[in-house]
Amino acid sequence: QMGGETMRNWIRAGSLGAALLLLASLWGCTTSYVQRPVTLRYEGPKSGTLIDPSVQAFPNIIIVPFVDLRRKKSSFGTYHWGGLSVDFISGRETVATGVTRLVRDFLLKAGMKPVNGKWNGRLDSLPGIQGEHAIYGEIERLDFSGKGRFYEAKNKGTIRLIIKWGNRSSRKIVTRKVEITPNTREIHLFTSDFNHVERMEGLIRSSVNRAIREGLTTLFNSPTDRGR
């Protein structure tokens, strides 16, 4: 029933535009929800140009799955447009899994050899890692929100990551905290398409990429902290 009651329409959208066209036909009598999976992949400059050659020469580096400290571990954020609510989610994997894969992709493209391994990010456990170097990370915050009106769209977000590089031989841990706070506004008078909704997905991807790129670049390229 529609009168006075809120009807929830959860649609896992393979084609976001098609789903929104369907839900737009219900606008005014329902509150409708779309789930849109976002897959993270490395996008940006060739990472080999961003990391010092002495770091690229590591025989291998352990990549520990990132730890997500958030409550909603599969959520990127929500975009609201009239009676529609689009939840951007990580799909069949967690956000932490996608972020970890992005780190591996970055290091692979830099010519390094990431391998699986265990480490809790603490100094007392560093001597027990199965390699000379390890990367450990935490997602402290990763949340985006957007709102569309008939004349504009606003998107904003905050990403805060902690990334640690452990060097077993030197018994040293280098820690970097990176925070990215994108904030965009787009004018689209009386638009008839849904590109402004999909652009939030692009903002999520580019912002997570930027956070990882800046975090790893500053982690590895500090002259005083470079591994030996």
Side-chain angles (χ1 to χ4, degrees), residues 3-22:
E5 294 187 8
T6 297
M7 181 171 64
R8 291 175 174 262
N9 297 299
W10 288 99
I11 297 181
R12 194 173 295 271
S15 172
L16 182 58
L20 292 180
L21 281 170
L22 170 63

Side-chain angles (χ1 to χ4, degrees), residues 6-12 20 23 30-35 78 80 83-87:
T6 297
M7 181 171 64
R8 291 175 174 262
N9 297 299
W10 288 99
I11 297 181
R12 194 173 295 271
L20 292 180
L23 294 179
T30 65
T31 299
S32 300
Y33 295 79
V34 177
Q35 288 186 324
T78 305
H80 298 282
L84 305 179
S85 181
V86 182
D87 289 335

Side-chain angles (χ1 to χ4, degrees), residues 83-105:
L84 305 179
S85 181
V86 182
D87 289 335
F88 290 91
I89 61 173
S90 55
R92 296 182 179 180
E93 63 182 16
T94 64
V95 171
T97 299
V99 170
T100 304
R101 184 179 60 253
L102 199 155
V103 171
R104 292 178 63 88
D105 290 347

Side-chain angles (χ1 to χ4, degrees), residues 46-133:
K46 187 176 180 181
S47 49
T49 64
L50 304 176
I51 298 180
D52 187 86
S54 66
V55 175
Q56 295 181 51
F58 292 167
N60 57 58
I61 183 167
I62 293 171
I63 306 299
V64 181
F66 269 55
V67 177
D68 195 343
L69 303 178
R70 306 172 307 146
R71 184 172 62 88
K72 297 181 178 180
K73 302 185 187 303
S74 296
S75 174
F76 288 104
T78 305
Y79 187 91
H80 298 282
W81 184 42
L84 305 179
S85 181
V86 182
D87 289 335
F88 290 91
I89 61 173
S90 55
R92 296 182 179 180
E93 63 182 16
T94 64
V95 171
T97 299
V99 170
T100 304
R101 184 179 60 253
L102 199 155
V103 171
R104 292 178 63 88
D105 290 347
F106 179 92
L107 296 179
L108 280 169
K109 290 181 182 297
M112 302 173 70
K113 298 178 181 178
V115 297
N116 296 329
K118 296 181 179 180
W119 181 42
N120 61 7
R122 294 171 46 181
L123 185 61
D124 59 359
S125 62
L126 187 57
I129 65 174
Q130 302 300 308
E132 286 298 315
H133 303 274

Side-chain angles (χ1 to χ4, degrees), residues 22-227:
L22 170 63
L23 294 179
S25 66
L26 302 173
W27 206 335
C29 59
T30 65
T31 299
S32 300
Y33 295 79
V34 177
Q35 288 186 324
R36 174 66 173 178
V38 177
T39 301
L40 296 177
R41 57 182 180 273
Y42 179 68
E43 303 166 348
K46 187 176 180 181
S47 49
T49 64
L50 304 176
I51 298 180
D52 187 86
S54 66
V55 175
Q56 295 181 51
F58 292 167
N60 57 58
I61 183 167
I62 293 171
I63 306 299
V64 181
F66 269 55
V67 177
D68 195 343
L69 303 178
R70 306 172 307 146
R71 184 172 62 88
K72 297 181 178 180
K73 302 185 187 303
S74 296
S75 174
F76 288 104
T78 305
Y79 187 91
H80 298 282
W81 184 42
L84 305 179
S85 181
V86 182
D87 289 335
F88 290 91
I89 61 173
S90 55
R92 296 182 179 180
E93 63 182 16
T94 64
V95 171
T97 299
V99 170
T100 304
R101 184 179 60 253
L102 199 155
V103 171
R104 292 178 63 88
D105 290 347
F106 179 92
L107 296 179
L108 280 169
K109 290 181 182 297
M112 302 173 70
K113 298 178 181 178
V115 297
N116 296 329
K118 296 181 179 180
W119 181 42
N120 61 7
R122 294 171 46 181
L123 185 61
D124 59 359
S125 62
L126 187 57
I129 65 174
Q130 302 300 308
E132 286 298 315
H133 303 274
I135 295 293
Y136 169 91
E138 295 177 343
I139 303 172
E140 284 196 337
R141 186 174 178 185
L142 200 164
D143 181 61
F144 286 79
S145 63
K147 185 173 184 178
R149 298 189 176 100
F150 73 92
Y151 62 92
E152 70 172 358
K154 292 182 178 179
N155 295 311
K156 62 182 180 179
T158 299
I159 303 173
R160 184 163 60 242
L161 307 176
I162 295 177
I163 307 177
K164 297 183 179 183
W165 167 23
N167 186 323
R168 187 179 66 178
S169 296
S170 64
R171 292 182 61 85
K172 181 171 64 176
I173 297 174
V174 182
T175 302
R176 291 289 181 268
K177 177 180 285 190
V178 57
E179 182 168 314
I180 303 296
T181 56
N183 193 332
T184 65
R185 180 174 182 248
E186 170 195 355
I187 302 298
H188 56 221
L189 291 177
F190 304 105
T191 181
S192 60
D193 60 42
F194 303 99
N195 290 336
H196 62 100
V197 182
E198 294 186 302
R199 273 190 273 276
M200 181 168 163
E201 179 179 343
L203 181 66
I204 292 170
R205 282 200 178 108
S206 63
S207 299
V208 176
N209 265 270
R210 178 185 166 196
I212 293 298
R213 185 168 60 248
E214 292 186 4
L216 292 177
T217 300
T218 57
L219 186 75
F220 286 134
N221 285 353
S222 175
T224 58
D225 293 331
R226 198 169 294 155

